Amino acid sequence: MTMLKLNGAAHPFSPGTTVADLVTAVTGRALLGTGQAADGGRLGVAVARNAGIVPRSQWAHNRVEENDDIEIVTAVQGG
């Protein structure tokens, strides 16, 4: 089984999995090819792959690889 680290924990993935696929799995929201939420709402998510920021416009084209370290950060409002 192919593994990567997702938000600090080991996570299996299939060949061809993209950053967009991981964001959908974490948030439970479908994405457009642009990285925007398909429901039209704000997503409030940023992604880092191996300590480098992945632009939202590249999520659908950025395929993850074995041993990648992916951090998906969700903005939370409050105080």
Side-chain angles (χ1 to χ4, degrees), residues 18-21 23 31 33-36 43 45-47 54-63:
T18 65
V19 169
D21 296 329
V23 172
L31 302 178
T34 60
Q36 302 299 318
L43 196 54
V45 170
V47 178
V54 180
R56 185 179 304 260
S57 62
Q58 296 300 309
W59 289 357
H61 310 291
N62 200 306
R63 292 178 193 231

Side-chain angles (χ1 to χ4, degrees), residues 27-55:
T27 65
R29 295 174 69 191
L31 302 178
L32 302 174
T34 60
Q36 302 299 318
D39 61 16
R42 293 189 61 124
L43 196 54
V45 170
V47 178
R49 178 179 178 198
N50 301 323
I53 299 298
V54 180

